[in-house]
Amino acid sequence: MQDEIKNLEELLSRANEAYHAKDAPIMPDDEYDALVRRLRELGGDVTWIGAAAAFSPVAHDVPLMSLQDVFSIDELRAFLTVETEYCVEPKIDGLSVALRYEKGKLILAATRGDGHTGEDVTHNANVVSDIPKTIPNLPGVLTVRGEVYMPREVFAKLNKERDELGQPPFANPRNAAAGSFRQKDASVTAGRGLSFIAFNIQTMEGHPWPKTHHETLELLKQWGFQANSYTLASSHEDIAREIERIGTERNGYPFDTDGAVVKVDDLSLRETMGVTSRVPKWAAAYKYPPERKETVVRDIQIQVGRTGVLTPKALLDPVSLSGSTVQYATLHNKDMIAQKDIRVGDTVWVQKAGEIIPEVVSVLKEKRPPDAVPFEFPQVCPECGGAVVSAEGEVAVRCTAGDCPAQLIRRLIHYASRDAMDIEGLGTATSQQIPLSSLDGLYRLTEQDLLQLEGFAEKSAQNLLSAIETSKQRGLARLLFGLGIRHVGQKAAQTLAQTFGSMDAIMAASEEGLTDVPDVGPVIARSLRLFLDAEQALISALSDAGVDMTCEIKKGDGSWAGMTFVLTGTLETMTRAEAEAVITERGGKAAGSVSKKTDFVIAGEKAGSKLDKAHTLGVKVITEQEFKEMFA
């Protein structure tokens, strides 16, 4: 028993570090939960299990307790024995966060951590659009608990982009949300499209408490929160029907969910029922079993991404899973392969993480072929033979060769993408055929070069060459983004271009000087400085090829100089980036949050808390049409 406890503690320690500190889990959530339950059954210490320290610690005024998991209606009936009205809600699989407001102002956001102590992530909460920053007419103290999550559509788009660029995919929406929200650099968080749903009031002073839980959810909605949906049920039969309904409809929710939460609705009865040392006695979480299928691993393949990361994936016998045919499954990293001991020829259980990304859950070792051998992760890059390294603090293994053809292909795909240099006709298939040794070689291609490639005739070759020539005039912001610098997204690239005006000025800037730029934190500044120092020859070659490396700010009549605009909601006739470009071209500033210094808030469809704050502060709110009339 002591040996098993020791082994479990060592395994959970590694899994805990990978999950919380590195946001790169080495096992599925349900497997992790099962190991924790087993350790608890054996009498092992589980109090240490929680987030690894990366931010300032925050002690919760009211513990953020976990819920008792149940896996059948009979288990639920045995746990919730009181005859009363219950509130049944979808269980949101995100990152649990507590928000503290004083006199209506958000002053603190903290992760759950171990339930008693979390991490201070206030700087990131301030860039999540549907977390209210102010609550009008709230005189006292309010603490709200909820989940930060990544919407399914955002998750699918993000992983598609990462796959196209050869970056390792996020394991599931929950992990993507955690990794995005627990960033030292808030500008990274701001670009990840996170959302927040409130599901409980922890503390409240200066406002009368409602009598029931569902009334607190309605109150949260009045205060501008997106609150969890609910159904009231007064019998176990009603609860079972609602759990079944949520299970049937869960793939249609915008967030990932692995269960339903059942809570006593009467708040005074909750006080009477009390809590155990771990969980409240008045609530339970019903967990749905994930759909799993059995199949065989035929190969383990390694993909080399734009930044050199080696990402493993399993080639499977095709299997139908959650409405689609699955032939590949992510293996995430070398640690996960080793921990699960996945081998070519193994029969495995597969499921879709977050109902989206296929993953190998476990190996059926009793069906393992006698000739199956442990998988050896490459010691050199499988594409170029270059050396690979695993940096301290990273799970990822990277190819260090600057001339790795696989990296170059991924860089070229990104460079030619619509949001970067927008080279029409230069997609994945063509990028894989073009024989280049560096990006600047793109501008030395000839018609004869292209005619040697599959699928090219005279007209298509001329069209691509024309598109390549046109890309030279995209400007500094899109070039910076197109170069694929780690952590430098579109917004940071645009801000850098508007601030410095030329690549020469950015090249001359120190790391400290870069950090002073809005939307550019220390992580981005460090990454940018390393890239510029390492790629001076490339930047010089692109400049010699005629690529525009300047940013001309068109101020028009100068009437917007010194004015600050904030966008909220969805615009109908232009993208947010296009609207921000209009503002900056006329000398204005496109800010991310509303303050007393804001001149205009441009409100589109489904405008959120920024609109509320504008009304509170008396900031002028205009429609998209009124905004267009200003620059017509």
Side-chain angles (χ1 to χ4, degrees):
M1 183 184 293
Q2 291 303 317
D3 286 343
E4 185 177 357
I5 288 175
K6 182 179 179 181
N7 290 336
L8 282 171
E9 287 180 340
E10 290 177 353
L11 177 56
L12 284 168
S13 180
R14 293 199 305 272
N16 192 60
E17 175 74 10
Y19 185 83
H20 290 290
K22 300 176 182 177
D23 299 308
I26 59 174
M27 65 179 68
D29 287 355
D30 58 338
E31 185 176 330
Y32 179 86
D33 292 341
L35 294 176
V36 172
R37 286 197 300 273
R38 177 58 179 163
L39 181 60
R40 183 178 287 117
E41 289 169 0
L42 294 172
D45 180 17
V46 297
T47 59
W48 54 271
I49 295 177
F55 299 84
S56 300
V58 174
H60 297 300
D61 293 336
V62 175
L64 273 59
M65 305 187 78
S66 58
L67 296 180
Q68 176 67 43
D69 289 338
V70 297
F71 299 91
S72 69
I73 296 300
D74 287 340
E75 281 188 59
L76 182 65
R77 192 189 305 270
F79 187 76
L80 298 176
T81 58
V82 177
E83 292 187 7
T84 185
E85 195 159 51
Y86 289 89
C87 206
V88 187
E89 309 166 21
K91 183 179 180 295
I92 305 150
D93 195 13
L95 179 68
S96 190
V97 173
L99 307 174
R100 181 179 175 88
Y101 296 81
E102 292 185 5
K103 296 182 179 179
K105 182 179 180 180
L106 177 64
I107 65 161
L108 178 67
T111 60
R112 178 180 178 274
D114 63 4
H116 298 279
T117 303
E119 300 171 312
D120 186 343
V121 287
T122 310
H123 66 301
N124 288 335
N126 281 317
V127 299
V128 177
S129 61
D130 54 5
I131 290 181
K133 311 309 182 292
T134 58
I135 302 176
N137 305 318
L138 186 67
V141 176
L142 174 72
T143 306
V144 175
R145 184 177 178 184
E147 295 280 315
V148 170
Y149 71 95
M150 180 173 286
R152 291 175 183 270
E153 290 184 0
V154 176
F155 174 74
K157 180 182 177 183
L158 181 61
N159 262 357
K160 181 181 178 182
E161 292 171 350
R162 294 175 70 87
D163 181 63
E164 290 174 350
L165 298 174
Q167 298 174 345
F170 284 113
N172 50 55
R174 188 268 165 216
N175 185 58
S180 300
F181 195 65
R182 295 178 65 254
Q183 291 281 335
K184 289 290 188 180
D185 188 345
S187 66
V188 177
T189 302
R192 289 285 174 82
L194 299 178
S195 292
F196 176 81
I197 289 184
F199 61 73
N200 200 52
I201 294 178
Q202 299 291 102
T203 62
M204 185 162 55
E205 300 172 8
H207 190 283
W209 274 89
K211 294 182 179 180
T212 62
H213 171 66
H214 79 269
E215 289 175 328
T216 67
L217 294 176
E218 295 298 331
L219 185 58
L220 288 167
K221 291 178 185 177
Q222 293 176 25
W223 284 334
F225 290 94
Q226 181 185 185
N228 205 6
S229 59
Y230 66 88
T231 298
L232 297 177
S234 55
S235 68
H236 283 94
E237 290 73 22
D238 291 341
I239 292 172
R241 279 192 292 270
E242 183 59 19
I243 289 174
E244 183 180 2
R245 183 192 67 79
I246 292 173
T248 301
E249 299 178 0
R250 63 179 172 143
N251 288 341
Y253 291 132
F255 48 80
D256 192 21
T257 177
D258 60 353
V261 177
V262 184
K263 306 174 183 176
V264 168
D265 193 43
D266 187 323
L267 298 185
S268 61
L269 181 55
R270 288 186 184 185
E271 291 291 328
T272 303
M273 296 177 70
V275 300
T276 69
S277 60
R278 298 188 300 108
V279 298
K281 296 180 180 179
W282 42 262
Y286 180 95
K287 304 295 282 289
Y288 297 113
E291 182 183 4
R292 296 179 177 178
K293 292 289 182 68
E294 191 177 307
T295 187
V296 177
V297 177
R298 294 303 176 188
D299 193 13
I300 295 177
Q301 302 173 351
I302 305 293
Q303 183 180 47
V304 182
R306 171 171 57 86
T307 60
V309 174
L310 276 59
T311 303
K313 63 180 179 180
L315 173 64
L316 310 169
D317 282 347
V319 60
S320 178
L321 191 63
S322 298
S324 65
T325 300
V326 170
Q327 192 169 7
Y328 289 95
T330 178
L331 297 178
H332 300 296
N333 51 58
K334 68 173 183 178
D335 286 1
M336 181 171 282
I337 296 176
Q339 185 267 322
K340 295 184 179 179
D341 189 19
I342 301 170
R343 307 181 184 185
V344 174
D346 274 343
T347 299
V348 296
W349 287 110
V350 294
Q351 68 181 30
K352 284 189 177 181
E355 309 295 336
I356 299 173
I357 304 298
E359 67 176 357
V360 174
V361 178
S362 59
V363 176
L364 283 74
K365 293 186 178 179
E366 66 275 14
K367 296 186 177 182
R368 171 170 284 167
D371 58 346
V373 296
F375 180 75
E376 294 186 9
F377 210 83
Q379 299 300 306
V380 296
C381 175
E383 296 287 347
C384 71
V388 297
V389 298
S390 184
E392 184 178 353
E394 283 192 358
V395 177
V397 176
R398 296 179 187 274
C399 170
T400 59
D403 57 352
C404 176
Q407 292 184 57
L408 182 58
I409 289 171
R410 296 290 177 176
R411 290 180 70 182
L412 182 57
I413 293 169
H414 176 70
Y415 186 83
S417 64
R418 179 174 297 181
D419 291 331
M421 304 303 275
D422 193 15
I423 304 176
E424 187 174 353
L426 186 52
T428 301
T430 302
S431 297
Q432 291 172 337
Q433 294 187 70
I434 295 178
L436 298 180
S437 58
S438 64
L439 284 178
D440 58 282
L442 185 66
Y443 296 101
R444 293 190 294 273
L445 289 173
T446 66
E447 184 176 326
Q448 191 60 38
D449 292 331
L450 296 179
L451 290 175
Q452 306 302 313
L453 306 181
E454 182 180 345
F456 273 88
E458 183 177 344
K459 182 63 175 176
S460 55
Q462 290 174 354
N463 288 342
L464 179 54
L465 289 174
S466 176
I468 291 172
E469 183 66 25
T470 301
S471 74
K472 294 179 180 180
Q473 307 306 317
R474 299 298 183 207
L476 179 58
R478 296 177 74 166
L479 173 63
L480 283 169
F481 177 64
L483 287 172
I485 306 165
R486 288 185 71 191
H487 307 300
V488 177
Q490 285 178 268
K491 187 170 182 61
Q494 185 177 21
T495 303
L496 286 162
Q498 292 286 341
T499 301
F500 290 97
S502 71
M503 181 66 83
D504 287 343
I506 296 175
M507 294 280 286
S510 66
E511 187 174 327
E512 292 76 14
L514 293 170
T515 306
D516 291 337
V517 177
D519 301 319
V520 179
V523 173
I524 294 177
R526 178 61 176 161
S527 179
L528 178 59
R529 190 65 265 166
L530 288 172
F531 180 90
L532 295 175
D533 291 340
E535 298 289 356
Q536 292 183 47
L538 170 62
I539 293 169
S540 179
L542 288 172
S543 179
D544 291 344
V547 176
D548 180 18
M549 297 191 176
T550 62
C551 177
E552 180 183 357
I553 303 176
K554 302 174 183 177
K555 295 187 178 180
D557 60 5
S559 61
W560 291 13
M563 297 173 65
T564 300
F565 295 76
V566 172
L567 292 153
T568 182
T570 304
L571 303 182
E572 293 183 2
T573 62
M574 58 174 51
T575 66
R576 183 176 293 258
E578 289 169 341
E580 290 180 348
V582 168
I583 294 166
T584 54
E585 284 172 0
R586 287 155 179 77
K589 176 184 177 183
S593 59
V594 181
S595 71
K596 292 181 179 179
K597 296 181 180 179
T598 304
D599 295 286
F600 294 97
V601 168
I602 306 164
E605 288 294 320
K606 298 181 180 179
S609 58
K610 294 177 184 177
L611 179 60
D612 296 333
K613 188 168 184 179
H615 290 315
T616 301
L617 298 177
V619 174
K620 185 174 178 59
V621 178
I622 59 175
T623 65
E624 179 182 354
Q625 183 58 38
E626 289 172 325
F627 172 63
K628 292 174 70 174
E629 290 171 0
M630 288 178 65
F631 66 84

